[in-house]
Amino acid sequence: MSESSSSSAGETGRITIDLKALAANWQSLANMVSPAECAAVVKADAYGLGARHVVPALAQAGCTSFFVATFNEAKEIKPLVGTGRIFILDGLLPGSASAVADLGVIPVLSTLDEIGEWQYEAKARSQKLPSAIHVDSGLHRLGLAPGDVARLAQDQDVFADLHIDLVMSHLASADVPDAPENQAQLTAFGISRSLLPDAPASLAASDGLMLGSAFHFDVVRPGYALYGGQAFQGAETPVKPVVEVTTKILQVRSLVAGDKVGYSATFTAPHDMTIAILAAGYADGIPRSASAPTGKPAGVVAIQGHLAPLVGRVSMDLIAVDVSHVPTHLLTRGADVELIGPTCTLDMVGQAANTIGYEILTRLSPRFERIYLDKGDNA
Ligand SMILES: *Cc1c(COP(=O)(O)O)cnc(C)c1O
């Protein structure tokens, strides 16, 4: 996947996005949750991977329901989904109902005010409008509080004007299989559903769908897992890596014990060693918090599968790594180095930077060249 033979002259970093792996991941999750429907969450430009490429690949694989965060994101992917449905997780901002209805997408309504505005729009159009209702089951982020669900349930008029395509909620601790919140939220979701008219339901995202079929309901909403993320702590999610990020060695140099490396001289060579300077820094999405020493395991890169830990501070365009244990013949100027890939997984990279793989993905910078591996390409 990371052959450098076709590199353009002067290219340093490269982000390779394997659309075949993405489609296979969607299919694998769809098979796992069947007969529930597997939707795709493509907010934040498909987690930074490029909705323009990701959405058509998912649609071609058979995905027909897409979730975005904002109206502008919905507008961007609307031409790419064919007859597929688009849900806007942020719902309706004041005054946006008419534009949302014109676009033909489905707002996820989290407050009685939004429901009122959407109902008003439906009446004005003499048309039943599609909608999703978000109920809070314990995350206390978006969603109707239990009291509001009860109030809504009394208002039969609403259900004459709105078609409820989905009743949904979102889990707080789905990555931890035995977290008590999971069962509590499942119960709370059931109570809310029982008050509302019968409608398809959705509770699980990437980790929730790993909690078993009781959490699947009618639609699951994975994002991260589609992109190869393994956030679930109970078992391996049946998905493959989608993203590989590589950069190149600019210089290899020898240090003697006592030499310091990088800004603020935070690293002192404990013994003679060899380091490589790589063309990647925080401007490329390598968090500065991956610098060593961190108190946590420092970030690592890999050269042909050999791990090399970061030394000193991550700077804007450069990092230094300890390559003392990497075979010398691999340490050539211009050689490819894996920043994210099969050896340095997205989740490892996130952990080493005191964050999560999600944040790493959504912050990959535009400076690196992007390559999309499609059906026709050989990987
Ligand atoms: C982002 C989001 C998802 C997708 O979450 P992943 O962990 O990436 O699968 C699903 N539902 C809601 C409400 C979200 O905000």
Side-chain angles (χ1 to χ4, degrees):
M1 195 159 129
S2 64
E3 295 312 306
S4 58
S5 49
S6 60
S7 301
S8 53
E11 172 206 326
T12 51
R14 171 189 277 209
I15 301 171
T16 307
I17 295 156
D18 186 343
L19 297 175
K20 274 178 306 181
L22 172 80
N25 288 350
W26 179 82
Q27 192 61 61
S28 169
L29 298 181
N31 293 346
M32 188 183 145
V33 303
S34 173
E37 177 191 349
C38 188
V41 179
V42 295
K43 62 195 181 189
D45 198 26
Y47 289 46
L49 298 185
R52 215 157 42 84
H53 300 272
V54 163
V55 171
L58 290 170
Q60 205 180 359
C63 181
T64 56
S65 295
F66 297 86
F67 287 83
V68 293
T70 70
F71 176 71
N72 284 341
E73 290 175 352
K75 251 193 337 200
E76 192 192 333
I77 71 162
K78 180 66 178 167
L80 307 175
V81 303
T83 55
R85 306 185 290 178
I86 299 173
F87 294 88
I88 301 180
L89 289 167
D90 284 357
L92 289 181
L93 284 158
S96 72
S98 149
V100 172
D102 284 345
L103 188 60
V105 297
I106 308 173
V108 178
L109 306 167
S110 289
T111 62
L112 294 177
D113 284 347
E114 285 169 275
I115 293 169
E117 286 169 27
W118 196 231
Q119 188 187 7
Y120 184 87
E121 187 64 28
K123 282 193 192 299
R125 290 173 183 246
S126 309
Q127 186 191 340
K128 216 164 168 165
L129 285 175
S131 46
I133 306 282
H134 191 164
V135 299
D136 178 34
S137 55
L139 178 63
H140 295 114
R141 201 175 63 174
L142 291 178
L144 293 173
D148 288 342
V149 175
R151 216 165 309 153
L152 175 64
Q154 305 304 318
D155 186 352
Q156 291 310 312
D157 192 32
V158 171
F159 305 109
D161 294 321
L162 302 185
H163 182 268
I164 311 301
D165 291 73
L166 201 64
V167 173
M168 60 166 269
S169 191
H170 196 44
L171 296 167
S173 305
D175 55 328
V176 181
D178 50 6
E181 291 85 6
N182 296 327
Q183 211 54 49
Q185 288 195 258
L186 185 64
T187 303
F189 186 51
I191 292 169
S192 286
R193 280 192 73 210
S194 70
L195 296 174
L196 296 172
D198 213 20
S202 175
L203 180 61
S206 295
D207 296 333
L209 64 82
M210 293 295 290
L211 292 172
S213 56
F215 288 81
H216 293 167
F217 294 94
D218 302 292
V219 179
V220 298
R221 313 183 306 269
Y224 191 55
L226 295 174
Y227 311 112
Q230 295 281 353
F232 187 67
Q233 292 174 28
E236 193 168 327
T237 306
V239 292
K240 301 181 284 189
V242 169
V243 187
E244 186 168 311
V245 181
T246 62
T247 190
K248 291 190 166 159
I249 296 178
L250 297 177
Q251 187 176 355
V252 178
R253 48 192 312 156
S254 302
L255 303 181
V256 297
D259 282 349
K260 292 173 189 296
V261 178
Y263 284 131
S264 305
T266 57
F267 178 82
T268 305
H271 42 68
D272 295 359
M273 59 193 291
T274 309
I275 62 169
I277 309 301
L278 312 180
Y282 59 74
D284 302 298
I286 316 276
R288 192 164 173 278
S289 56
S291 303
T294 56
K296 295 199 122 209
V300 290
V301 303
I303 300 172
Q304 304 287 326
H306 299 273
L307 291 179
L310 269 64
V311 293
R313 289 263 163 89
V314 172
S315 47
M316 188 184 296
D317 318 302
L318 299 168
I319 50 177
V321 296
D322 178 3
V323 291
S324 302
H325 302 288
V326 178
T328 316
H329 72 276
L330 300 176
L331 300 176
T332 55
R333 188 166 62 87
D336 279 326
V337 177
E338 173 189 324
L339 301 175
I340 298 172
T343 308
C344 305
T345 67
L346 202 48
D347 296 278
M348 283 168 57
V349 172
Q351 220 171 358
N354 249 314
T355 179
I356 53 176
Y358 289 71
E359 191 176 4
I360 301 294
L361 270 188
T362 53
R363 287 169 181 254
L364 294 174
S365 98
R367 178 157 61 183
F368 283 1
E369 181 179 16
R370 287 188 177 220
I371 307 282
Y372 288 89
L373 299 182
D374 216 333
K375 286 207 159 51
D377 301 341
N378 43 34

